[in-house]
Amino acid sequence: SISSKCLVCPSYNTDFFVKDSGFILGEELGLQSPTPQAEKPVATQQGVSYLSEKDGSGELGEELDLSFLPDELGTHNDTEDQASALEISQDSGVFDLNSQNSMAAYTQQGASTSGMGTMASPFCQMTPMTPMTPMTPVTERSGIIPQLQNIVSTVNLGCPLDLKFIALQARNAEYNPKRFAAVIMRIREPRTTALIFSSGKMVCTGAKSEEQSRLAARKYARVVQKLGFPARFLDFKIQNMVASCDVFFPIRLEGLVLTHQQFTSYEPELFPGLIYRMVKPRIVLLIFVSGKVVLTGAKERAEIYEAFENIYPILRGFRKQ
Amino acid sequence: MFIIIFTVVMSSPMAGSVASSSSKDRSVSRTSFIPELQSMMFALGDARRPLHETAALVEDIVHTQLVAMLHQACEGALLRGSRVISAEDILFLMRRDKRKVARLLKYLQFRDYKSKLMKTLEDDDTPQETGTDTQAKRQKLAQDFLVWMDQTGELLSLAERHEVDPVKQERLERLERQTRSMDQNQYSEFCESRQLSFAKKASKFRDWLDLSSLEVKPNSIAMEILSYLAYETVAQIVDLSLLVKQEMTAKTNPISHLISASYIQYNTHAEVCAATVEQPSGAIQPCHIREAIRRYNCRHTVSPHLVSCTAYCRSGMAFLAC
């Protein structure tokens, strides 16, 4: 039920929630069904249905259904993708199995967490949220959301593949065994590249959201299946997420590198950015004098947001006046 | 380390061509790094506009030292029976100073890490074999150490060292102090200067070194290390010169708290440099550099019997970067 969950940490960014009225409700339904389900109820009140985009099949070990998702998914903008990715649903591939556990882990972190409000915060009232109510941001929140730039995921198609055959039959496929032992395939929507190995394993890169990465991987799997191989869709996993953003002020990197020596490396002769290896969460940040920040090494979106919220006050402290 | 009598009028016992070339000859016959050096010196702690003659002197010193290093490395390579000068030969020259070797290893580690990171960031359309370049530089070095020098495991452990490098620390602190007072424009200029390195100008660097006289040439990793060492040499010169300048300023200036106590261990035969008196906070002067080199050589004196023992000593020169 809605009242049992507090959806939003009161401190989070106003703008984000105002953008998607439908997101909250859809997310909530996701919370209530951590286990894989064949069908999902759809949040239709706000007129936005995030769940219809999921195909009916479960995630693990099932035959790939050829009556596939319509391509209108390609028209979803980033915001919607962000929102849908937050649903703790099997298909997002983000919170894998134990959404309850991950919730518990987040609540233990208390107010310092920068999670997107998908968990119950011990600090906010358990009251129902009306989607359009703007929340007052706490001053130390950055108000900046890193944008995902690249997602790398892997999946096991579960059968050995004849790469030469695939390269000959499929469009947009390259295969140069002397150079690299995999077929390189590309699709336009979502704009991604896949490396398909003869073992049946596949790497999918270039997507801008978890959902898109998964969708793209499914499309590649479908191509392989259509070529006659008994391809399945096993163990889909996001391996790396890259995001970037701008704090819009110049940063004095010499100060940062001196005070955070155990975490930082800065060799401007080699690379103009400072490399900050955050321990918790385990994320690598590239920080540039201009104020641009790149984050990488995340397996989950929340790690990126958390890392950025951790670094933001530090960067503010080294703002170049 | 080896001895050199280093004066502006060169009368060193070293092989003539290397030691006796003056900066005048060089700017005519070879490419010049003077403008780049001026930028680098600013980035390392000198004044906003380092003096031309200072940069010329630094260029002279760096060039001389690198060429000498190259020749020694070349000998080593030939002794090994190798057809190229590789990282091992240069590392062998550096073996005496563990701290400097550790610094070099950290640099190479960073290089590897950076290329690995860049790979994950780029949406790699043309994937390469994982591990060709990523671990290559460091692995190769670790292996080289093992094969050639490391009897006690000490050198390999340098790669894992997490001790604070006091010289690096001092540099970080200095730069932090320097940048604190800059405004945005100055700071962005400063950052650009910091990005300049010999590695970025690899072909010009190669020409500048003039490898034609060498029997065997350095490979690409050796060239990378050499460009790093060139930069380190400049950094060392600036470090030492700033200390000398500070000290000279302090001598003529009653404010004694300017002296950084931990580093003043030198004897006090310093010439009083007239320029310091006039402009205490100005740019580094050639006299500061000369004094710094003089002191460095005194400090790195090697006793005669040791000198004759080592296969690599010939005529003695205290390398700043080794």
Side-chain angles (χ1 to χ4, degrees), chain B residues 14-294:
Chain B
M14 278 173 58
S17 59
V18 169
S20 57
S21 42
S22 67
S23 55
K24 227 183 342 169
D25 288 351
R26 190 156 306 109
S27 51
V28 169
S29 59
R30 282 175 253 240
T31 52
S32 170
F33 267 107
I34 293 182
E36 288 89 344
L37 278 170
Q38 283 175 300
S39 261
M40 284 186 215
M41 287 170 66
F42 169 51
L44 288 165
D46 196 358
R48 175 64 196 86
R49 298 198 192 285
L51 300 174
H52 187 273
E53 52 265 29
T54 317
L57 179 56
V58 172
E59 184 188 36
D60 193 11
I61 297 171
V62 174
H63 189 273
T64 312
Q65 295 218 338
L66 279 185
V67 170
M69 246 190 266
L70 260 175
H71 276 91
Q72 291 204 2
C74 180
E75 281 183 17
L78 288 171
L79 268 175
R80 269 196 307 131
S82 165
R83 284 163 56 220
V84 286
I85 298 177
S86 90
E88 315 156 271
D89 303 305
I90 303 180
L91 284 165
F92 187 71
L93 294 180
M94 294 176 71
R95 70 196 183 282
R96 297 257 169 77
D97 193 327
K98 306 277 185 287
R99 215 190 271 166
K100 286 173 179 159
V101 175
R103 211 177 299 149
L104 170 60
L105 287 178
K106 282 219 168 66
Y107 171 84
L108 289 162
Q109 238 172 316
F110 181 89
R111 255 203 119 119
D112 282 343
Y113 182 69
K114 175 216 148 191
S115 27
K116 191 168 84 165
L117 204 56
M118 291 300 113
K119 269 206 170 71
T120 69
L121 288 184
E122 290 165 29
D123 190 5
D124 229 3
D125 282 346
T126 52
Q128 286 154 16
E129 301 290 340
T130 50
T132 41
D133 256 9
T134 48
Q135 287 297 315
K137 287 169 187 138
R138 237 190 99 214
Q139 302 282 49
K140 188 163 199 282
L141 271 173
Q143 223 168 353
D144 293 345
F145 267 130
L146 201 64
V147 170
W148 289 98
M149 288 187 279
D150 196 5
Q151 308 289 324
T152 60
E154 200 183 354
L155 291 173
L156 260 182
S157 72
L158 284 175
E160 320 301 327
R161 237 179 178 181
H162 293 298
E163 292 170 24
V164 174
D165 181 347
V167 173
K168 202 108 206 190
Q169 182 72 18
E170 159 78 16
R171 284 180 199 163
L172 286 177
E173 286 170 14
R174 186 196 317 140
L175 290 181
E176 197 276 322
R177 277 197 303 271
Q178 198 175 355
T179 53
R180 223 186 286 158
S181 53
M182 291 181 185
D183 68 25
Q184 280 193 32
N185 288 331
Q186 290 172 336
Y187 183 62
S188 60
E189 264 189 79
F190 178 79
C191 284
E192 276 180 41
S193 297
R194 278 203 76 178
Q195 289 174 28
L196 209 52
S197 74
F198 289 102
K200 293 235 168 82
K201 308 239 169 177
S203 53
K204 184 175 177 185
F205 182 65
R206 215 185 161 92
D207 291 336
W208 185 64
L209 285 178
D210 188 17
L211 305 171
S212 52
S213 55
L214 293 173
E215 284 182 51
V216 287
K217 314 282 183 220
N219 63 11
S220 58
I221 295 190
M223 281 306 290
E224 271 179 29
I225 297 181
L226 281 170
S227 48
Y228 164 79
L229 288 177
Y231 194 82
E232 259 300 298
T233 308
V234 179
Q236 286 265 352
I237 294 175
V238 172
D239 285 348
L240 297 171
S241 308
L242 283 174
L243 278 170
V244 169
K245 183 162 88 85
Q246 215 174 52
E247 204 185 285
M248 286 185 179
T249 314
K251 279 211 180 112
T252 57
N253 183 332
I255 302 171
S256 56
H257 68 263
L258 290 173
I259 298 177
S260 162
S262 56
Y263 276 91
I264 304 297
Q265 301 159 24
Y266 303 112
N267 55 37
T268 51
H269 295 318
E271 46 178 283
V272 176
C273 176
T276 322
V277 178
E278 291 155 25
Q279 265 195 328
S281 59
I284 298 177
Q285 306 283 337
C287 55
H288 301 138
I289 298 190
R290 271 179 248 127
E291 173 60 19
I293 301 282
R294 189 195 66 80

Side-chain angles (χ1 to χ4, degrees), chain A residues 10-316:
Chain A
S11 54
Y12 215 84
N13 178 33
T14 308
D15 287 348
F16 184 87
F17 295 112
V18 173
K19 271 183 211 159
D20 302 296
S21 52
F23 131 77
I24 291 170
L25 216 43
E27 169 186 61
E28 189 171 39
L29 292 164
L31 277 177
Q32 295 190 323
S33 53
T35 53
Q37 279 182 359
E39 289 294 321
K40 299 227 88 150
V42 167
T44 49
Q45 285 96 319
Q46 277 75 19
V48 184
S49 59
Y50 293 92
L51 302 175
S52 62
E53 68 190 56
K54 310 293 176 288
D55 60 49
S57 59
E59 178 181 15
L60 301 171
E62 291 195 15
E63 289 295 323
L64 185 65
D65 187 8
L66 280 183
S67 58
F68 204 62
L69 316 166
D71 280 346
E72 72 221 27
L73 271 167
T75 61
H76 269 205
N77 59 26
D78 257 358
T79 330
E80 288 180 307
D81 281 334
Q82 276 184 358
S84 59
L86 289 173
E87 299 178 63
I88 307 181
S89 69
Q90 45 159 11
D91 283 323
S92 73
V94 174
F95 299 103
D96 263 328
L97 293 171
N98 301 315
S99 59
Q100 300 295 350
N101 285 350
S102 63
M103 267 186 61
Y106 282 119
T107 55
Q108 274 157 28
Q109 289 171 24
S112 67
T113 184
S114 64
M116 292 297 291
T118 58
M119 70 296 284
S121 160
F123 295 97
C124 72
Q125 294 260 303
M126 301 299 194
T127 51
M129 294 294 305
T130 44
M132 292 304 289
T133 309
M135 299 305 296
T136 333
V138 166
T139 43
E140 65 258 19
R141 293 294 182 198
S142 65
I144 301 170
I145 303 174
Q147 296 298 308
L148 291 177
Q149 301 295 339
N150 185 19
I151 312 264
V152 177
S153 58
T154 55
V155 70
N156 186 359
L157 300 177
C159 63
L161 302 173
D162 180 345
L163 298 185
K164 218 184 233 171
F165 178 77
I166 293 175
L168 286 170
Q169 300 292 324
R171 287 177 300 161
N172 308 323
E174 287 169 38
Y175 180 45
N176 195 343
K178 286 196 192 122
R179 204 153 143 248
F180 191 63
V183 165
I184 303 166
M185 199 183 286
R186 296 192 171 93
I187 58 175
R188 279 209 204 95
E189 200 56 62
R191 198 178 178 77
T192 50
T193 304
L195 306 177
I196 306 173
F197 295 85
S198 54
S199 59
K201 300 245 173 87
M202 183 170 81
V203 177
C204 175
T205 65
K208 301 269 191 214
S209 79
E210 302 91 322
E211 227 13 85
Q212 287 195 358
S213 197
R214 191 185 178 84
L215 171 59
R218 293 200 112 123
K219 288 192 175 180
Y220 291 114
R222 176 159 73 135
V223 169
V224 171
Q225 196 176 46
K226 275 187 163 173
L227 289 175
F229 298 92
R232 298 153 82 201
F233 200 74
L234 307 170
D235 308 320
F236 175 80
K237 185 172 179 215
I238 305 273
Q239 298 291 354
N240 187 31
M241 302 171 74
V242 180
S244 70
C245 59
D246 197 337
V247 300
F248 298 110
F249 53 78
I251 304 167
R252 193 168 64 94
L253 298 178
E254 283 76 11
L256 183 54
V257 79
L258 187 62
T259 49
H260 290 75
Q261 280 185 59
Q262 327 89 288
F263 307 114
T264 53
S265 315
Y266 179 43
E267 303 281 343
E269 316 92 65
L270 281 180
F271 184 63
L274 181 152
I275 300 182
Y276 192 109
R277 280 189 257 196
M278 196 175 281
V279 172
K280 189 168 158 19
R282 211 175 166 69
I283 299 283
V284 174
L285 300 94
L286 303 180
I287 302 165
F288 296 86
V289 175
S290 57
K292 298 232 170 18
V293 179
V294 175
L295 305 98
T296 179
K299 293 253 189 316
E300 296 180 352
R301 184 186 287 246
E303 290 174 351
I304 297 226
Y305 298 142
E306 192 188 335
F308 183 71
E309 292 302 323
N310 286 348
I311 202 80
Y312 186 72
I314 297 172
L315 297 182
R316 280 260 291 269

